[in-house]
């Protein structure tokens, strides 16, 4: 497998680039990750912040930035990340997916440009985004990852950009046994050697995990993980297990 696949927690809006102290561990991790991973020819980001009825890909050669957050200081809306798109790759992926849509008007959302500003600040790697499905079906997102498997021999970095804990009302309250139980479930599912069918069933039925709906009242920040695990199939390396916004969060790498 030439491709690299990573799922990580991308933090709270623009806070990682604004120097928020509750993101120190994440900032350090992201900067190191960009140096450790082999430099890919292209990046494909599946972000928690884009949902469409059909899988949709950014196909513009020069995507703009979508500041999809609210109530932050002026500098949060002056962030630049002039990465080029990759229309040819977008078209190839659309062909693989069969029912995909190409968009030349959608911009990069903060699930893309916040972590990539830390990982690859020079913005010199062509990047596209692939949407989630508005069905929010775990099975549909697992199938999405399987359809991408012919690309594993390509020099592509696939990024699932979400948050392994995403209960907005419970951030900043300190960690608890509920979140620890769910993070341990994710680690066991993705980073323990087991048959792929076991991983598939565990993630498709993630709501049965301990405190699942406490950690994810809405699943959009978890679904990029399903796409990544389905694409990779094999056992992940746990590469981050620390606090973001006072909550334990994890990241995985498949290579």
């Amino acid at each position: 497998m030439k491709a690299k696949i990573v799922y990580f927690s991308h933090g709270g809006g623009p806070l990682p680039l604004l120097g928020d102290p509750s993101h120190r561990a994440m900032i350090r991790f992201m900067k190191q990750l960009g140096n450790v991973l082999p430099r890919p020819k292209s990046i494909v980001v599946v972000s928690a912040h884009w949902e469409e009825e059909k899988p949709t890909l950014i196909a513009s050669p020069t995507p703009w930035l979508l500041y999809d957050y609210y109530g932050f200081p002026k500098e949060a809306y002056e962030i630049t990340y002039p990465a080029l798109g990759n229309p040819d790759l977008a078209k190839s992926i659309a062909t693989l997916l069969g029912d995909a849509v190409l968009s030349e008007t959608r911009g990069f959302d903060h699930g893309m440009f916040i972590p990539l500003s830390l990982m690859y600040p020079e913005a010199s790697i062509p990047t596209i985004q692939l949407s989630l499905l508005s069905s929010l079906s775990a099975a549909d997102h697992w199938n999405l990852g399987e359809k991408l498997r012919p690309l594993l021999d390509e020099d592509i970095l696939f990024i699932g950009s979400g948050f392994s804990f995403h209960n907005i009302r419970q951030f900043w309250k300190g960690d608890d046994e509920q979140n620890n139980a769910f993070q341990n479930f994710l680690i066991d599912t993705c980073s323990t050697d087991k048959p792929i069918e076991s991983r598939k069933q565990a993630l498709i039925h993630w709501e049965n995990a301990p405190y699942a709906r406490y950690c994810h009242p809405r699943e959009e920040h978890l679904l990029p993980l399903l796409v990544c695990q389905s694409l990779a199939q094999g056992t992940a390396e746990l590469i981050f297990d620390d606090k973001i916004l006072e909550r334990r969060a994890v990241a995985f790498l498949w290579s």
Side-chain angles (χ1 to χ4, degrees):
M1 185 172 80
K2 192 173 184 179
K4 301 292 184 289
I5 305 162
V6 63
Y7 168 83
F8 52 54
S9 303
H10 62 232
L15 290 175
L17 299 188
L18 300 180
D20 177 70
S22 68
H23 285 77
R24 284 196 187 110
M26 175 199 150
I27 292 167
R28 184 169 59 249
F29 160 71
M30 292 287 184
K31 289 182 175 179
Q32 182 182 35
L33 185 62
N35 291 324
V36 168
L37 289 174
R39 184 180 178 83
K41 289 184 178 178
S42 296
I43 298 173
V44 177
V45 178
V46 181
S47 167
H49 295 284
W50 186 18
E51 300 169 23
E52 298 285 353
E53 183 177 351
K54 293 183 178 181
T56 306
L57 296 128
I58 291 179
S60 168
T62 54
W64 54 290
L65 296 193
L66 174 60
Y67 302 111
D68 55 335
Y69 40 69
Y70 306 94
F72 291 96
K74 181 182 177 183
E75 55 265 35
Y77 305 93
E78 297 173 344
I79 293 168
T80 60
Y81 194 76
L84 295 177
N86 190 334
D88 289 340
L89 179 58
K91 291 173 184 176
S92 295
I93 293 176
T95 299
L96 278 178
L97 298 180
D99 61 344
V101 175
L102 295 172
S103 173
E104 295 191 6
T105 59
R106 165 77 185 193
F108 290 137
D109 63 54
H110 79 270
M112 177 276 191
F113 67 80
I114 296 298
L116 289 189
S117 292
L118 296 168
M119 293 173 64
Y120 302 110
E122 72 285 356
S124 60
I125 303 174
T127 302
I128 63 174
Q129 276 191 239
L130 169 62
S131 75
L132 296 178
L133 300 169
S134 55
S135 69
L136 299 183
S137 160
D140 287 349
H141 287 85
W142 186 273
N143 291 338
L144 194 62
E146 287 189 332
K147 290 180 180 179
L148 296 173
R149 286 183 58 75
L151 295 170
L152 289 177
D153 289 330
E154 303 293 328
D155 189 5
I156 297 172
L157 172 60
F158 290 93
I159 293 176
S161 180
F163 213 132
S164 63
F165 175 91
H166 198 258
N167 185 333
I168 297 295
R169 295 182 179 182
Q170 297 298 323
F171 279 123
W172 293 286
K173 292 187 177 181
D175 230 333
D176 50 40
E177 64 179 80
Q178 293 99 316
N179 185 37
N180 283 330
F182 188 75
Q183 301 306 313
N184 290 338
F185 158 76
L186 294 179
I187 293 169
D188 177 69
T189 300
C190 299
S191 295
T192 302
D193 187 22
K194 60 182 62 182
I196 184 58
E197 187 62 25
S198 295
R199 298 189 212 279
K200 178 179 179 179
Q201 293 305 316
L203 290 175
I204 286 179
H205 301 289
W206 68 273
E207 291 176 273
N208 295 332
Y211 306 106
R213 280 297 178 189
Y214 168 79
C215 295
H216 291 276
R218 194 173 187 275
E219 51 265 59
E220 78 280 4
H221 277 74
L222 184 65
L223 292 175
L225 172 60
L226 274 73
V227 177
C228 288
Q229 180 63 83
S230 174
L231 170 60
Q233 302 278 301
T235 304
E237 176 186 357
L238 178 67
I239 57 172
F240 180 87
D241 186 355
D242 211 322
K243 299 286 185 68
I244 304 174
L245 294 171
E246 307 302 330
R247 287 292 181 164
R248 183 184 178 197
V250 297
F252 300 105
L253 171 67
W254 297 262
S255 59

